Amino acid sequence: MTALLQVGRVSKTFGGFSAVSDVDLSVEEGEIHCLIGPNGAGKSTLFKLIVGTYAPTGGHIRFRGQDVTQAKPFARVQLGMSIKRQAPSVFKALPVRQNLHIALQHHTAPDRLEREEERLLELLALSADAAKLAGQLSHGQQQWLEIGMAIALKPTLLLLDEPTAGLSSEETRHTGELIKRLNAGGMTVLAVEHDMAFVRQIATAVTVMHLGRTFARGSVEEIVADPSVAEIYLGVPHAG
Amino acid sequence: MLNLLNGPQTMGRGRVFWICAALVLAAALVYPAFADPYDVGNFGYFLIWIFMALGLCVMWGLCGMLSFGQTFFFGIGGYAYGVLAIILGNGPAATIVGLFGAVALAGLAAAVLGYFMIYGRISGVFFGIVTLSFTLALAFFLGQTAGPEWAIGRARLNGFNGMQGMSPLSVPWFGGPVVLEETALYYVLVAGLTATYLLLRVLANSRFGNVLVAVREDPERAELLGYDVRRYQLIAFVLGSALAGVSGVLYTSWGQFITPSSIGLPAAAMPIIWVAFSGRTDLTATLVGTFLLLVGFQTLTIYSQETALVVMGALLAATILFVPRGFVVGIGELLARPRRKRLAPALSPDDARP
Amino acid sequence: MMGNLFSYFYQFADVFSFLVLSAAGLAIIFGMMGVINMAHGEFIMCGVYVTAATFHAGLPLPLAQACGTLVAALIGMVLEVVLIRPLYNRPLDSLLVTWGLSLVATQGTLVLVGSTFPGIGTPGGGFEVGGYGFSVYRMVLFAASLLVLAFVYLLFMRTRFGVHARAVMQNAGMAQALGVRRSQVYALSFGIGAGLAGLCGALYAPTMSLIPTMGASFIVEAFVTVVVGGSSVLLGTAPAAAALAIVRTGLNAWYGQIIGQIGLLIAVILIIRVLPDGFSGWLAKRES
């Protein structure tokens, strides 16, 4: 079986600085795959390479069996990727409902659009704020709205760049539940995450990055038990 | 499709609005019965320019591309019509070919220029000054074409004095073709403008319009929602520029002349002033505001053209400094506010519905 | 042979100095503030008119030219405070405001001064190389364009203002935290940009007939040089002017002025298709 997303020996250098080098990553269908690693490990750069914001300096990226290494971002999205970016990037000057509408209109027949909007608004607990401008929402609500826009595309692979950044623990737990529910509905998820409690809550597979390279890969239990992973996070050599 | 006449991209959506709009249209239709043909022709002259203002509203207001090239495409449309109408002669068939040929040429020019700019990732202030450079260069070029070697067939370009003597548009009609002048031209303009306005409203609130607004707000986010952003920008640019071509053809046909001065400065600034003053994000505001400014400008021009232009320049600066969203949009929002407050509970969920 | 070669150099120098002198002021303001000054042509016109007026009042030409430059710079600083300051971080809006200003200035001058103004004869006479005649003043203009580039280099690299200006350009917030007053730097930058526009006008005043709309004959060249050059005067404007001058000189020589200008624009859109950040972006990337 081939993986849904296959990143093979991908590198990216900026000027002389190598942000990501020879990274391998494969995401199987049905996984909730978390990408972890200390700051500066290259996680966000890797995400931008996967979604096509950056072009890699080497290596290849395959998605659903197709080589997308050189494809434009919109083409990858049309193939079934969808991303929630790190900083909430919703259309701040447009109403919440229109934000969802713009994402939904891709795959939804015009007569079902309104029902789908309502359903998503309810799912995101934003029904009461539908007419507000997205910029007036709280930080947490904007994060959720952007997740809503990402899932409105009905992606095969949902990419989440730090979905819980700036959320309260309550909101974080809700987000985790939402992600698990989407996954149960057949959506594969790849998330960059710092919060290890959150990773334990949702992940079925974990890849660790360090200094621009793939460092380890396994289940949550394996990674947590791996002494060398603790070492790179704590920055001290593991004794024994 | 009719339900798309109302939506988040257009102000004015209640029954009161549409009744007012119908009254304005009715008044425009009966106007020639009460006015002499010269005034009717002059009224028509104002309507000619509104096409290019609406085109700029689509590009700039909806899609965020500030093009200073409306008079570039106006000029291409106008000169192309002039050349075609001189070569092909008069009569409905010839002049209608001239009309469509000229607008198509303006659209083609927009596609080529737009391709290089948009795919060259020119945006923001550079989009403006590149389009303006082309506009001024065209005006300069046409000013140098006084000699007899600058002719296409029988059509002389005539340098600064401009082209003249092309046949005006005419249409087939019961009992023989009608040349579009004065009242006949006026009715065609009213019909054409009404149709353009309504179609653009539908377009603005359609799937396409939603994408344009998304591109205006955040092109990168729009691309990550799966939209081929640059293709949408190019389509909007070609559409808006072709509407400037329409204005050019109508202007040339109306007066049977066109000169380079309707392309260069200060002409190139006028569409920007109309649309900025009116409120670039709204088609209705642009329609109303452009008309008002044209009337005001002509009135001032009777005393002194220079003074009229000084006023226009000051108006542009004042708009940007004090009412950046535009005067007419601002007034429209003031008018809508008390009503909305009163009806708020019933209307609010509906208001934001695309 | 010698005459031919020199003639090519002379034409190149003529176009190069025109591009550098007309673009330098625009490029400084754009590079510093991200603002495209649409009234650039009118600052040039101001330089021309003040030079001509003071010259006719009896000042020697170089002094009259200094007056033209200074008056444009002062007006620029005042207008920065009044019109541009409320619009920091709104580059499109400041562009539109300056366009309004440009209309007011052109048409206002037409009303107040009228459509013609007595000109100044070109000084300096001519010289001959290999049987061809050339104008001395054009060579003065070429020297002036090199001096302007040197002035900009010294200003940014060797003065306290330059240090502050580069700090604001890199990171306005950080510079302010370190005690650099952004508004002061911007007012001075705009003044210097307007002054360089005035200087351009002052220098070309003896070569042109004076009409209030004459600014328009400079701005296309100024715009395209800045578009191709990008945001840095030294890394952008100078190489862009050199490249465009080669294109323009070649086309002028073989096909005439009209093709020269059209060819210039075609070269511009081809270059931006290949180098989206202009010469300065490209050079900066190669350096890093």
Side-chain angles (χ1 to χ4, degrees):
Chain A
M1 191 187 115
T2 57
L4 179 66
L5 175 75
Q6 179 79 51
V7 174
R9 303 183 62 80
V10 159
S11 303
K12 176 70 185 172
T13 52
F14 295 102
F17 170 69
S18 161
V20 163
S21 53
D22 289 338
V23 164
D24 292 304
L25 170 73
S26 70
V27 179
E28 307 290 337
E29 223 170 312
E31 278 182 337
I32 299 183
H33 197 124
C34 284
L35 196 56
I36 65 171
N39 281 328
K43 304 181 300 288
S44 283
T45 305
L46 181 61
F47 250 48
K48 288 185 172 138
L49 289 165
I50 292 172
V51 84
T53 309
Y54 294 155
T57 22
H60 69 267
I61 299 168
R62 296 179 69 81
F63 177 57
R64 298 178 82 178
Q66 291 190 40
D67 190 330
V68 295
T69 316
Q70 300 301 329
K72 294 265 186 320
F74 72 86
R76 303 185 195 204
V77 173
Q78 285 173 359
L79 258 181
M81 279 186 200
S82 176
I83 187 168
K84 191 213 97 57
R85 293 195 289 181
Q86 192 170 358
S89 59
V90 292
F91 301 114
K92 291 194 170 66
L94 302 180
V96 170
R97 183 188 290 276
Q98 199 181 357
N99 270 274
L100 292 174
H101 185 102
I102 289 168
L104 273 170
Q105 64 178 10
H106 259 298
H107 299 292
T108 317
D111 51 320
R112 288 184 44 240
L113 260 172
E114 213 179 301
R115 225 173 45 222
E116 282 290 299
E117 279 166 35
E118 295 299 340
R119 199 182 62 77
L120 263 179
L121 284 168
E122 206 160 308
L123 184 73
L124 303 168
L126 288 170
S127 298
D129 301 311
K132 266 195 198 165
L133 297 185
Q136 296 170 335
L137 297 179
S138 71
H139 176 82
Q141 283 177 312
Q142 289 190 21
Q143 292 274 48
W144 271 57
L145 176 57
E146 203 188 349
I147 294 178
M149 289 163 74
I151 62 181
L153 299 178
K154 304 194 171 40
T156 337
L157 175 65
L158 177 64
L159 299 159
L160 301 168
D161 197 350
E162 303 199 11
T164 68
L167 297 190
S168 70
S169 57
E170 177 72 357
E171 288 169 327
T172 301
R173 202 172 50 74
H174 276 303
T175 308
E177 278 163 16
L178 176 65
I179 292 171
K180 280 171 129 172
R181 212 172 336 146
L182 292 167
N183 181 249
M187 209 178 276
T188 307
V189 178
L190 174 62
V192 167
E193 191 48 65
H194 277 299
D195 181 347
M196 277 311 287
F198 184 72
V199 172
R200 278 176 205 254
Q201 184 195 346
I202 63 166
T204 61
V206 177
T207 293
V208 186
M209 281 185 76
H210 183 47
L211 299 175
R213 293 171 185 277
T214 326
F215 187 80
R217 183 196 160 143
S219 68
V220 188
E221 293 73 22
E222 287 162 6
I223 294 297
V224 171
D226 186 337
S228 58
V229 172
E231 190 178 305
I232 61 165
Y233 266 98
L234 301 173
V236 287
H238 181 71
Chain B
M1 192 166 124
L2 279 180
N3 61 349
L4 289 174
L5 280 172
N6 296 320
Q9 266 78 256
T10 47
M11 279 169 65
R13 58 194 105 197
R15 189 183 292 168
V16 177
F17 170 81
W18 286 109
I19 290 173
C20 289
L23 285 175
V24 169
L25 179 62
L29 288 175
V30 298
Y31 171 72
F34 303 97
D36 69 84
Y38 173 80
D39 285 335
V40 174
N42 190 38
F43 200 111
Y45 170 81
F46 296 137
L47 302 185
I48 285 170
W49 303 96
I50 296 178
F51 290 92
M52 74 197 283
L54 292 176
L56 183 60
C57 182
V58 171
M59 288 189 273
W60 181 22
L62 288 181
C63 198
M65 287 181 294
L66 180 46
S67 166
F68 295 162
Q70 283 303 74
T71 56
F72 179 75
F73 300 105
F74 177 95
I76 291 179
Y79 269 89
Y81 176 78
V83 169
L84 286 171
I86 287 175
I87 293 176
L88 299 174
N90 52 15
T95 56
I96 287 173
V97 168
L99 166 71
F100 284 104
V103 173
L105 194 68
L108 185 69
V112 173
L113 180 59
Y115 167 79
F116 278 100
M117 287 194 303
I118 291 164
Y119 285 78
R121 295 182 191 275
I122 290 281
S123 64
V125 292
F126 276 15
F127 200 90
I129 60 174
V130 172
T131 45
L132 185 61
S133 299
F134 274 81
T135 309
L136 299 184
L138 179 67
F140 170 78
F141 163 69
L142 289 169
Q144 307 290 311
T145 57
E149 72 275 23
W150 294 102
I152 301 165
R154 283 181 296 134
R156 285 270 307 267
L157 296 180
N158 270 337
F160 275 114
N161 296 324
M163 292 185 76
Q164 47 200 314
M166 62 287 285
S167 18
L169 280 167
S170 59
V171 290
W173 198 248
F174 313 105
V178 172
V179 176
L180 295 182
E181 283 169 322
E182 290 171 350
T183 309
L185 176 63
Y186 172 80
Y187 276 117
V188 168
L189 286 171
V190 170
L193 194 58
T194 309
T196 306
Y197 167 72
L198 294 176
L199 281 174
L200 288 180
R201 266 189 89 118
V202 169
L203 191 76
N205 293 315
S206 69
R207 181 184 189 282
F208 180 77
N210 275 313
V211 178
L212 292 193
V213 170
V215 170
R216 175 191 74 198
E217 293 297 319
D218 185 346
E220 208 184 325
R221 175 75 260 185
E223 167 140 25
L224 291 177
L225 290 173
Y227 297 112
D228 186 351
V229 166
R230 289 183 275 179
R231 212 185 75 199
Y232 281 91
Q233 287 175 318
L234 187 56
I235 294 171
F237 184 67
V238 170
L239 174 67
S241 304
L243 280 169
V246 171
S247 282
V249 172
L250 293 170
Y251 172 82
T252 307
S253 165
W254 175 83
Q256 284 128 60
F257 81 110
I258 182 164
T259 70
S261 65
S262 37
I263 299 168
L265 287 170
M270 293 303 127
I272 309 291
I273 298 174
W274 303 330
V275 176
F277 168 85
S278 309
R280 59 179 183 269
T281 49
D282 189 71
L283 291 162
T284 315
T286 298
L287 181 92
V288 175
T290 303
F291 182 78
L292 293 176
L293 280 187
L294 284 163
V295 174
F297 184 75
Q298 194 185 59
T299 314
L300 284 174
T301 302
I302 293 168
Y303 302 103
S304 151
Q305 167 143 25
E306 290 80 25
T307 314
L309 286 167
V310 168
V311 170
M312 293 295 273
L315 207 54
L316 176 61
T319 305
I320 301 301
L321 285 171
F322 304 119
V323 201
R325 288 165 51 70
F327 277 100
V328 181
V329 161
I331 291 168
E333 280 171 355
L334 277 181
L335 286 178
R337 194 173 297 158
R339 252 175 51 75
R340 195 169 295 167
K341 226 174 230 169
R342 189 154 44 81
L343 299 173
L347 269 182
S348 55
D350 221 39
D351 261 353
R353 184 161 300 161
Chain C
M1 181 60 204
M2 187 61 204
N4 256 332
L5 268 182
F6 184 76
S7 163
Y8 283 126
F9 165 74
Y10 177 85
Q11 285 168 35
F12 166 83
D14 191 28
V15 177
F16 176 82
S17 38
F18 187 81
L19 291 173
V20 167
L21 290 171
S22 58
L26 190 72
I28 282 202
I29 293 174
F30 173 69
M32 282 299 309
M33 311 168 64
V35 170
I36 291 290
N37 174 21
M38 293 292 284
H40 184 68
E42 281 58 49
F43 284 108
I44 295 178
M45 183 262 287
C46 167
V48 172
Y49 270 62
V50 172
T51 303
T54 47
F55 177 77
H56 293 312
L59 281 188
L61 183 61
L63 270 184
Q65 288 172 322
C67 284
T69 308
L70 280 177
V71 169
L74 287 176
I75 294 179
M77 282 205 267
V78 171
L79 289 174
E80 197 279 337
V81 173
V82 178
L83 291 179
I84 311 293
R85 191 156 295 178
L87 302 174
Y88 284 172
N89 305 324
R90 284 161 62 188
L92 277 174
D93 282 351
S94 41
L95 173 150
L96 291 173
V97 162
T98 52
W99 203 354
L101 174 67
S102 147
L103 266 178
V104 172
T106 320
Q107 303 299 326
T109 310
L110 266 171
V111 174
L112 298 174
V113 185
S115 58
T116 56
F117 199 77
I120 308 170
T122 310
F127 62 101
E128 225 177 74
V129 179
Y132 294 87
F134 302 99
S135 150
V136 171
Y137 194 69
R138 295 280 162 185
M139 288 290 100
V140 172
L141 290 175
F142 180 58
S145 70
L146 297 180
L147 283 176
V148 162
L149 289 174
F151 165 76
V152 171
Y153 175 79
L154 292 174
L155 179 73
F156 279 94
M157 296 302 171
R158 293 278 184 273
T159 66
R160 222 164 75 89
F161 166 78
V163 174
H164 287 184
R166 280 183 294 146
V168 171
M169 221 151 90
Q170 296 269 323
N171 185 338
M174 182 58 88
Q176 271 179 305
L178 294 174
V180 177
R181 303 250 311 264
R182 177 173 75 155
S183 51
Q184 228 169 39
V185 171
Y186 277 5
L188 270 174
S189 310
F190 204 88
I192 292 168
L196 286 175
L199 175 68
C200 169
L203 288 169
Y204 280 96
T207 70
M208 309 180 83
S209 48
L210 274 56
I211 47 170
T213 51
M214 66 191 302
S217 50
F218 290 87
I219 56 173
V220 171
E221 275 78 1
F223 284 163
V224 297
T225 309
V226 171
V227 167
V228 171
S231 55
S232 156
V233 176
L234 296 168
L235 288 179
T237 310
L244 292 175
I246 291 171
V247 172
R248 180 77 191 257
T249 314
L251 290 171
N252 275 356
W254 283 304
Y255 302 104
Q257 289 281 341
I258 294 175
I259 301 294
Q261 179 151 30
I262 294 170
L264 187 69
L265 286 175
I266 292 172
V268 167
I269 58 170
L270 292 177
I271 292 172
I272 56 182
R273 184 74 183 86
V274 187
L275 304 175
D277 300 317
F279 274 98
S280 43
W282 181 62
L283 289 171
K285 210 179 271 173
R286 277 175 56 104
E287 257 180 34
S288 68

